[in-house]
């Protein structure tokens, strides 16, 4: 009788059709697999470990593991440095007028700087400060600062507040002066985010202007009013004739 565990082409065909049961693994093969699985279980998943954890566990790795870990450690360190460099700001900081040049005009190269000139007695200024504080956390690669207007510009008119200047490399790239340009007294966080993203100061994940529906309604209303006026004018001309 033919051995069903024998490695022959005919036995393989019979196994494919389910006539023969799967080949039994030898005791040596099973033991080898168990040892391999045990060894794999003992190896720590260093790809998921922090730099501190790698340091603590380095005595448990063999030479090959240590080479892989060292490569991984360097990669993680580079990623960490890049992240720290990118997330160097992350808050809306208060500055005084005598800090303006160093903090804004002479800020680091290629860094976007958003400065809000405000007066605490104006509610719209307080609203803008609240929004900018949240945006500063969301976009830590952009520098957000605020300053009481009198410390920077004497006799600045309240009608021009809030005032937002957007700088890059010492140049003003955009400015929003007064309540209307800043978005109105009912300014929403996403609306301000969109404004700053449009001028390039932040990289938003918003896909369209949050005020798009309002703008579309205003345009439609203006268009309808214009058509109505033209119609009335035409009817008036016909009546005159």
């Amino acid at each position: 009788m033919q051995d069903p565990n024998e490695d022959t082409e005919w036995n393989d065909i019979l196994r494919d059709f389910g006539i023969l049961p799967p080949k039994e693994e030898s005791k040596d093969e099973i033991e080898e697999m168990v040892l391999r699985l045990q060894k794999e279980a003992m190896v720590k998943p260093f790809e998921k470990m922090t730099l501190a954890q790698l340091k603590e566990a380095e005595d448990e790795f063999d030479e090959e593991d240590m080479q892989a870990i060292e490569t991984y450690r360097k990669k993680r360190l580079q990623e960490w440095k890049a992240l720290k460099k990118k997330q160097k700001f992350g808050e809306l900081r208060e500055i005084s007028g005598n800090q303006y040049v160093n903090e804004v005009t002479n800020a680091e190269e290629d860094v976007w700087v958003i400065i809000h000139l405000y007066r605490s007695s104006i509610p719209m200024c307080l609203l803008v400060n609240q929004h900018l504080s949240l945006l500063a956390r969301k976009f830590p690669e952009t520098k957000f600062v605020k300053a009481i207007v009198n410390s920077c510009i004497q006799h600045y008119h309240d009608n021009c507040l809030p005032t937002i200047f957007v700088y890059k490399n010492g140049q003003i790239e955009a400015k929003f002066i007064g309540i209307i340009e800043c978005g109105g007294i009912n300014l929403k966080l996403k609306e301000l985010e969109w404004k700053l993203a449009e001028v390039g100061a932040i990289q938003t994940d918003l896909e369209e202007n949050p005020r798009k529906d309002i703008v579309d309604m205003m345009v439609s209303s203006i268009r309808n009013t214009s058509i109505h006026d033209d119609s009335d004018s035409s009817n008036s001309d016909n009546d005159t004739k």
Side-chain angles (χ1 to χ4, degrees), residues 95-108 115 143 152 167 170:
I95 66 170
S96 60
N98 58 15
Q99 295 176 293
Y100 196 106
V101 173
N102 287 335
E103 294 285 349
V104 181
T105 311
N106 293 340
E108 297 92 327
I115 179 167
K143 188 175 186 178
C152 301
Y167 279 79

Side-chain angles (χ1 to χ4, degrees), residues 106-190:
N106 293 340
E108 297 92 327
E109 186 178 0
D110 293 331
V111 170
W112 287 92
V113 182
I114 297 169
I115 179 167
H116 175 214
L117 301 180
Y118 75 100
R119 205 185 308 278
S120 57
S121 60
I122 299 177
M124 178 69 179
C125 288
L126 299 180
L127 177 63
V128 170
N129 275 340
Q130 289 177 6
H131 289 343
L132 291 178
S133 181
L134 294 173
L135 292 175
R137 298 177 198 171
K138 184 175 181 179
F139 303 99
E141 68 277 8
T142 298
K143 188 175 186 178
F144 288 80
V145 294
K146 61 180 179 177
I148 296 175
V149 66
N150 287 349
S151 71
C152 301
I153 307 173
Q154 292 295 322
H155 310 301
Y156 197 68
H157 204 286
D158 282 1
N159 288 344
C160 296
L161 296 175
T163 290
I164 299 174
F165 291 137
V166 180
Y167 279 79
K168 187 178 183 183
N169 294 328
Q171 301 296 318
I172 294 180
E173 299 293 334
K175 52 188 175 182
F176 306 97
I177 299 175
I179 292 175
I180 301 302
E181 286 193 13
C182 285
I185 58 174
N186 295 317
L187 177 68
K188 302 293 189 298
L189 176 64
K190 288 185 178 180

Side-chain angles (χ1 to χ4, degrees), residues 20-35:
L20 285 180
K23 179 184 175 183
E24 295 180 2
E25 295 188 48
S26 68
K27 185 177 179 181
D28 290 342
E29 290 176 334
I30 294 175
E31 289 178 351
E32 183 180 345
M33 182 179 66
V34 170
L35 290 173

Side-chain angles (χ1 to χ4, degrees), residues 1-240:
M1 183 176 180
Q2 186 175 355
D3 183 0
N5 287 320
E6 188 178 355
D7 287 325
T8 65
E9 185 176 354
W10 178 246
N11 278 352
D12 290 339
I13 294 173
L14 294 178
R15 290 191 194 98
D16 291 339
F17 281 95
I19 298 173
L20 285 180
K23 179 184 175 183
E24 295 180 2
E25 295 188 48
S26 68
K27 185 177 179 181
D28 290 342
E29 290 176 334
I30 294 175
E31 289 178 351
E32 183 180 345
M33 182 179 66
V34 170
L35 290 173
R36 186 178 72 252
L37 292 174
Q38 288 177 342
K39 184 178 180 181
E40 289 175 357
M42 292 174 64
V43 176
K44 292 184 180 294
F46 57 81
E47 294 86 353
K48 298 179 181 179
M49 298 172 69
T50 65
L51 295 178
Q53 289 172 330
L54 287 174
K55 182 67 176 176
E56 292 178 0
E58 62 183 6
D59 292 339
E60 302 177 21
F61 297 109
D62 58 27
E63 184 177 351
E64 184 177 349
D65 287 333
M66 288 304 297
Q67 291 176 354
I69 290 170
E70 185 59 29
T71 300
Y72 178 70
R73 193 203 306 270
K74 291 179 180 178
K75 179 182 177 183
R76 286 291 300 272
L77 191 58
Q78 290 173 351
E79 290 173 350
W80 178 79
K81 288 181 178 178
L83 183 63
K84 291 296 288 184
K85 183 177 181 181
K86 184 178 180 181
Q87 297 183 344
K88 62 192 304 182
F89 303 114
E91 63 177 345
L92 176 63
R93 290 177 45 242
E94 181 90 33
I95 66 170
S96 60
N98 58 15
Q99 295 176 293
Y100 196 106
V101 173
N102 287 335
E103 294 285 349
V104 181
T105 311
N106 293 340
E108 297 92 327
E109 186 178 0
D110 293 331
V111 170
W112 287 92
V113 182
I114 297 169
I115 179 167
H116 175 214
L117 301 180
Y118 75 100
R119 205 185 308 278
S120 57
S121 60
I122 299 177
M124 178 69 179
C125 288
L126 299 180
L127 177 63
V128 170
N129 275 340
Q130 289 177 6
H131 289 343
L132 291 178
S133 181
L134 294 173
L135 292 175
R137 298 177 198 171
K138 184 175 181 179
F139 303 99
E141 68 277 8
T142 298
K143 188 175 186 178
F144 288 80
V145 294
K146 61 180 179 177
I148 296 175
V149 66
N150 287 349
S151 71
C152 301
I153 307 173
Q154 292 295 322
H155 310 301
Y156 197 68
H157 204 286
D158 282 1
N159 288 344
C160 296
L161 296 175
T163 290
I164 299 174
F165 291 137
V166 180
Y167 279 79
K168 187 178 183 183
N169 294 328
Q171 301 296 318
I172 294 180
E173 299 293 334
K175 52 188 175 182
F176 306 97
I177 299 175
I179 292 175
I180 301 302
E181 286 193 13
C182 285
I185 58 174
N186 295 317
L187 177 68
K188 302 293 189 298
L189 176 64
K190 288 185 178 180
E191 294 170 1
L192 182 55
E193 179 177 336
W194 184 265
K195 277 181 171 293
L196 298 175
E198 279 190 310
V199 300
I202 57 178
Q203 299 296 318
T204 183
D205 53 4
L206 297 176
E207 296 182 356
E208 64 178 17
N209 188 346
R211 294 178 63 90
K212 181 178 182 297
D213 293 339
I214 298 175
V215 173
D216 289 346
M217 289 176 61
M218 291 176 61
V219 171
S220 177
S221 177
I222 293 171
R223 184 182 296 113
N224 291 336
T225 301
S226 177
I227 292 172
H228 180 73
D229 290 344
D230 290 344
S231 177
D232 287 348
S233 177
S234 177
N235 289 336
S236 177
D237 291 342
N238 290 334
D239 292 340
T240 302

